Amino acid sequence: MIPCETPPERIRRREPLGFRECQRFATLRDCEVHAPEMVKAIAERCQMDRASRQALEICVEELAENVVFHAGGGAAGFAAVQSWPARSEVEVGIVDLGRGIRASLADNPAYRHLATDAEAIREAMRLGVTATPERNSGQGLFFAARLLEQNGGRVLIRSGSGRVYDGSLARADEALVRFPGTALALTINTDRPLDAGAVSRLIGSLKSQDGDLETLRVRCSQSGSSPN
Amino acid sequence: MLTIRIFPQLTVGPELVGRAAGARLREEILRAAGSAVVVVDFKGIETVSPSFADELFGKLPPEIVQRRRVRFAGASDEVRALARGVRGLRSELAAT
């Protein structure tokens, strides 16, 4: 047997632990396993507090689940996380080469009128907008955008010819180059809190019904349906 | 009466994240509610994700809670707010 040695690297690695390599998301199980792993590794490096780490984990898992539910055709998604300690930032990228937001929303007759990809992105960022209301509730993109808005971070969403910057519904337009699928880039400030509780309270205030949790007297549309 | 303590009985951490995890907990509650009044204790839970809340609070059959077979206790203000929000969302989605 010929001994085989790894040749010495001719590059100098800078912050080698600051990048969490791409993970593949094809099932809900992938989301459950990979999202916490990715966030934990980066959060430790950035010394994020526990509440911010939990919020980032929710954010990544919600967006990864969007790929599983909405990319279509069995398309998988990929996510990567990069920390920038000197800038006090973490960047998250989630991408799929599926059918895009507009085609996905068209599964729901309520959104078949959307004429452009930018319109579709704007609509998808509203609370309660979903292609599959029997299964999902349209909170993922809303949650991510509001979370980063409060953090002072940035959101870029590309899907088809549409793009939205900074999570702002006002900042959506049509790009010259079409993106085949959906891509999200999040930039989070690690020196400011990520407050999932604040977004939860916002959702409660926007959609709340009368009644309390202890009694949960509510009209539900589903009974015992599975997420898949 | 059967009390299900979510933390640390059912989860290793103080956060409840993910649609699949929410569906599993709902199924467990439904199984238990078949033979006993169930109290789901959220003590120690700090964070719940929107999709988890939708699976648990939004999709729990209303008749089972109207008959008070399932009750919730110990939830933080944030969890209660999100529960109310997903129930409202479910009602809106059902109406469209």
Side-chain angles (χ1 to χ4, degrees):
Chain A
M1 179 179 294
I2 301 172
C4 180
E5 292 183 1
T6 304
E9 289 187 339
R10 296 184 183 280
I11 58 172
R12 186 174 61 178
R13 290 180 181 267
R14 301 178 68 182
E15 300 185 11
L17 298 177
F19 179 70
R20 189 69 180 175
E21 67 274 16
C22 285
Q23 296 288 342
R24 185 173 186 270
F25 296 89
T27 66
L28 290 183
R29 182 66 185 154
D30 293 338
C31 302
E32 274 191 303
V33 172
H34 295 319
E37 283 178 357
M38 296 176 77
V39 171
K40 182 182 177 198
I42 291 296
E44 284 175 357
R45 179 167 175 76
C46 294
Q47 299 178 323
M48 292 174 79
D49 60 67
R50 190 162 79 175
S52 295
R53 180 188 59 76
Q54 289 171 346
L56 183 56
E57 182 184 326
I58 290 172
C59 188
V60 172
E61 184 151 351
E62 292 281 330
L63 298 177
E65 286 186 357
N66 274 356
V67 174
V68 175
F69 283 119
H70 304 304
F78 295 87
V81 184
Q82 168 91 55
S83 69
W84 302 96
R87 296 190 335 226
S88 300
E89 286 181 355
V90 165
E91 291 180 327
V92 178
I94 298 178
V95 63
D96 71 72
L97 298 180
R99 56 186 173 162
I101 291 174
R102 184 154 67 109
S104 173
L105 280 182
D107 284 348
N108 185 336
Y111 305 113
R112 287 188 188 144
H113 66 282
L114 297 169
T116 67
D117 291 312
E119 277 183 68
I121 296 172
R122 278 198 300 263
E123 197 69 18
M125 295 179 75
R126 290 178 48 221
L127 182 59
V129 172
T130 178
T132 50
E134 72 286 353
R135 194 175 56 187
N136 304 101
S137 51
Q139 298 181 83
L141 277 178
F142 175 88
F143 181 90
R146 296 289 84 75
L147 189 67
L148 266 68
E149 183 179 69
Q150 295 185 357
N151 169 264
R154 300 185 296 277
V155 180
L156 169 63
I157 304 176
R158 286 281 276 112
S159 184
S161 299
R163 64 185 168 194
V164 171
Y165 300 98
D166 292 340
S168 166
L169 300 184
R171 296 196 61 196
D173 62 12
E174 296 288 317
L176 292 176
V177 179
R178 183 174 176 78
F179 183 84
T182 302
L184 289 97
L186 316 178
T187 305
I188 299 118
N189 293 308
T190 57
D191 55 356
R192 299 181 205 171
L194 268 180
D195 190 351
V199 185
S200 294
R201 288 190 294 273
L202 176 62
I203 291 172
S205 69
L206 290 174
K207 298 293 179 182
S208 192
Q209 283 198 326
D210 292 334
D212 200 9
L213 189 60
E214 276 67 26
T215 53
L216 200 65
R217 294 178 186 280
V218 59
R219 290 181 294 119
C220 293
S221 63
Q222 309 293 317
S223 61
S225 45
S226 163
N228 268 323
Chain B
M1 184 180 295
L2 172 67
T3 297
I4 297 177
R5 291 187 202 288
I6 299 177
F7 179 75
Q9 186 177 326
L10 296 181
T11 180
V12 295
E15 66 256 45
L16 299 173
V17 180
R19 192 163 285 280
R24 285 196 298 270
L25 178 56
R26 187 188 66 236
E27 297 296 334
E28 180 147 350
I29 290 169
L30 288 174
R31 272 196 300 275
S35 56
V37 171
V38 178
V39 176
V40 184
D41 187 353
F42 277 79
K43 187 177 180 185
I45 295 298
E46 297 171 357
T47 311
V48 174
S49 77
S51 58
F52 184 100
D54 182 44
E55 285 295 328
L56 178 57
F57 303 117
K59 295 185 180 178
L60 201 61
E63 61 272 14
I64 207 164
V65 285
Q66 282 163 0
R67 294 204 310 265
R68 298 187 68 80
R69 300 289 294 176
V70 177
R71 302 173 196 174
F72 295 91
S76 66
D77 289 346
E78 287 80 6
V79 172
R80 296 160 73 102
L82 191 56
R84 287 194 297 269
V86 297
R87 285 152 46 198
L89 266 174
R90 276 282 144 215
S91 291
E92 285 186 8
L93 292 169
T96 56

